[in-house]
Amino acid sequence: MILFINFKRKYKIYKKEINQALEKVFKRGWFILGPEVEKFEKNFAQYLRIKHIIGVGSGTDAIFLALKALGIGQGDEVITVANTAVPTISAIRMTGARPVFVDINEETFNINATLIEEKISPKTKVILPVHLYGYPSNMGEIMKIAKKYNLKVVEDVCQAHGARYKGRLVGTIGDIGCFSFYPTKNLGAFGDAGAIVTNNKKIVETVMALRKYGQVGRFSNKSREIRSRLDELQAAILNWGLNKLDLWNKKREELAKIYLENLKNLPLDLPPRANQDFKPVWHLFVIRAERRDQLKEFLEKKGIQTIIHYPQPIFEQEVYKSLNYKAKDLPITKKVSKKILSLPLYPELEKKEVLRVCKAIKSFYDSRK
Ligand SMILES: *Cc1c(COP(=O)(O)O)cnc(C)c1O
């Protein structure tokens, strides 16, 4: 069986280091917002070469708090995409703002920057690109438009820890970057965790208070926001994992290359490779396949797990129908959702397993020519 993700294997490989990291926290006896969190905020800031990092409870919270810190709420519009993890959109909705969807580029799956301007209205406050599957969005174009219309840029970096656009780490290009450390992410905790990154001191102060129910002094509260803290056990895992992030990303890249080499000349489209300007980190390996659903079922029978990220554009989900979007408004988003399939890809996956997946895909198309 080739699992889509395998945390038992990860623990087996790193058991000693993981146990040591956790034991340190147990022995210290301090569990919420303490020395491990501070160390992580410092180290991850250094890794990203950014001034400030604030650990929060999750990626969803990071996006919500980032928007709140920018004063976004009822009546405002946030420009983003509809082929993202639902939390991108739920975080926007939590502020009361309206998500405005822009169609995507068929090859990169990311926001099509040439379509952004026509969606800008007097209510638009923020552009929120998602670096989907670990591939950087076109930040050059996005920043140009933001500047022209005086908009803020909040990057959803939940799938792209370490990815680069023109040499710069994504998450550090816009006004605020929002990370998730959900276990499956390139840098994953063993529970929920997230972070906001920014160079803006004022945003830091606001979010520091917001993550503790608006608390500014010991018993003084300036607003009524949520509780969203990073805990020490997760931070200890992140401190350990941060030292491995580049290695893990390299392993992902090596495995992705095997897929790219071995899946050529089949009735499917492969994800974009790295080039001069765009350096992805291969959070997911997503193909666009003919007869996708049959292929998925075929692989399942061969003991190979795959997932579809995401089977429906967000506006087709029942609770988001009131946003009033139709498939014809976002034709590429819709088209791609019917073809995409994510193949297993994680640092602990073995080369021979990737080759087995490739062989199975080939045999699917060979037997159905
Ligand atoms: C994982 C993810 C999130 C949300 O992160 P959580 O930590 O699960 O709240 C948001 N956006 C994208 C694109 C994600 O992949």
Side-chain angles (χ1 to χ4, degrees):
M1 186 83 192
I2 298 180
L3 300 175
F4 188 76
I5 189 104
N6 190 341
F7 294 119
K8 283 192 202 160
R9 192 182 280 180
K10 186 174 180 182
Y11 183 59
K12 204 168 158 197
I13 296 170
Y14 298 112
K15 187 173 174 175
K16 213 173 136 202
E17 298 170 38
I18 291 168
N19 287 353
Q20 271 173 0
L22 295 177
E23 196 180 6
K24 225 167 70 187
V25 177
F26 287 123
K27 284 189 172 161
R28 195 184 289 124
W30 185 278
F31 296 103
I32 304 275
L33 295 181
E36 294 289 338
V37 171
E38 275 168 32
K39 184 175 158 193
F40 177 67
E41 288 173 341
K42 198 172 132 242
N43 289 349
F44 197 40
Q46 231 162 40
Y47 177 90
L48 293 174
R49 295 165 210 274
I50 196 153
K51 282 197 195 134
H52 310 286
I53 300 225
I54 312 152
V56 296
S58 70
T60 312
D61 287 357
I63 299 168
F64 169 72
L65 292 169
L67 294 172
K68 289 297 282 186
L70 294 172
I72 305 306
Q74 192 87 41
D76 296 328
E77 291 180 353
V78 176
I79 287 182
T80 191
V81 290
N83 64 328
T84 179
V86 168
T88 313
I89 308 309
S90 35
I92 295 170
R93 296 296 289 152
M94 277 156 66
T95 69
R98 176 183 162 83
V100 171
F101 297 127
V102 171
D103 211 1
I104 55 167
N105 177 305
E106 195 163 348
E107 268 70 52
T108 66
F109 305 106
N110 282 329
I111 193 163
N112 184 340
T114 63
L115 302 176
I116 293 177
E117 280 192 89
E118 63 193 61
K119 295 291 177 86
I120 294 174
S121 82
K123 292 180 180 171
T124 309
K125 297 283 157 60
V126 173
I127 305 175
L128 198 155
V130 181
H131 307 295
L132 202 70
Y133 311 150
Y135 199 85
S137 300
N138 191 338
M139 288 309 291
E141 290 304 312
I142 291 165
M143 294 311 290
K144 233 187 266 168
I145 297 164
K147 201 164 171 207
K148 183 170 163 194
Y149 293 89
N150 196 21
L151 306 174
K152 299 288 183 199
V153 174
V154 174
E155 296 177 67
D156 181 335
V157 212
C158 295
Q159 302 190 358
H161 316 60
R164 285 170 191 270
Y165 170 80
K166 292 198 173 167
R168 293 177 69 188
L169 285 148
V170 292
T172 68
I173 303 168
D175 296 274
I176 308 181
C178 302
F179 285 90
S180 164
F181 308 110
Y182 184 77
T184 57
K185 312 292 184 181
N186 292 45
L187 178 56
F190 290 136
D192 276 318
I196 282 173
V197 314
T198 182
N199 280 315
N200 184 324
K201 187 89 204 292
K202 195 147 174 291
I203 288 170
V204 176
E205 280 160 14
T206 312
V207 174
M208 291 284 253
L210 290 176
R211 76 171 168 178
K212 291 193 286 185
Y213 15 81
Q215 187 169 304
V216 284
R218 182 95 165 83
F219 296 106
S220 149
N221 297 62
K222 271 209 169 153
S223 63
R224 289 169 288 137
E225 286 331 319
I226 58 168
R227 190 268 307 138
S228 181
R229 301 172 300 215
L230 181 52
D231 75 69
E232 289 283 289
L233 289 169
Q234 301 309 333
I237 293 300
L238 293 173
N239 279 321
W240 161 73
L242 184 57
N243 290 317
K244 296 256 185 302
L245 178 58
D246 286 341
L247 171 77
W248 286 337
N249 280 343
K250 203 165 147 249
K251 287 195 170 179
R252 284 175 185 273
E253 188 182 14
E254 281 166 15
L255 298 174
K257 276 186 181 152
I258 297 176
Y259 274 131
L260 289 168
E261 286 309 309
N262 287 276
L263 292 176
K264 282 192 290 204
N265 308 321
L266 292 172
L268 46 83
D269 291 305
L270 296 170
R273 288 170 180 262
N275 62 40
Q276 191 80 23
D277 292 344
F278 295 82
K279 297 266 188 292
V281 285
W282 300 104
H283 174 60
L284 294 171
F285 192 94
V286 180
I287 58 172
R288 283 170 286 146
E290 293 300 331
R291 284 168 292 164
R292 188 264 320 265
D293 294 336
Q294 290 100 306
L295 172 63
K296 187 176 193 319
E297 204 177 303
F298 178 86
L299 293 174
E300 195 78 42
K301 281 199 191 117
K302 296 234 165 198
I304 297 165
Q305 275 186 344
T306 58
I307 300 187
I308 299 165
H309 298 90
Y310 301 89
Q312 268 183 319
I314 302 240
F315 56 83
E316 287 186 350
Q317 299 241 7
E318 200 54 45
V319 290
Y320 293 113
K321 287 211 166 130
S322 59
L323 291 172
N324 253 325
Y325 279 87
K326 304 217 163 33
K328 68 171 172 31
D329 302 325
L330 300 153
I332 306 298
T333 304
K334 178 66 192 176
K335 179 180 167 195
V336 158
S337 71
K338 291 186 168 161
K339 291 183 144 193
I340 45 176
L341 187 65
S342 310
L343 306 180
L345 178 70
Y346 43 97
E348 298 79 27
L349 192 68
E350 288 174 19
K351 285 180 188 170
K352 63 172 192 281
E353 291 174 309
V354 172
L355 288 170
R356 214 186 101 203
V357 177
C358 294
K359 210 171 143 202
I361 295 173
K362 270 184 218 158
S363 74
F364 171 79
Y365 287 113
D366 280 346
S367 62
R368 282 165 184 75
K369 262 187 188 144

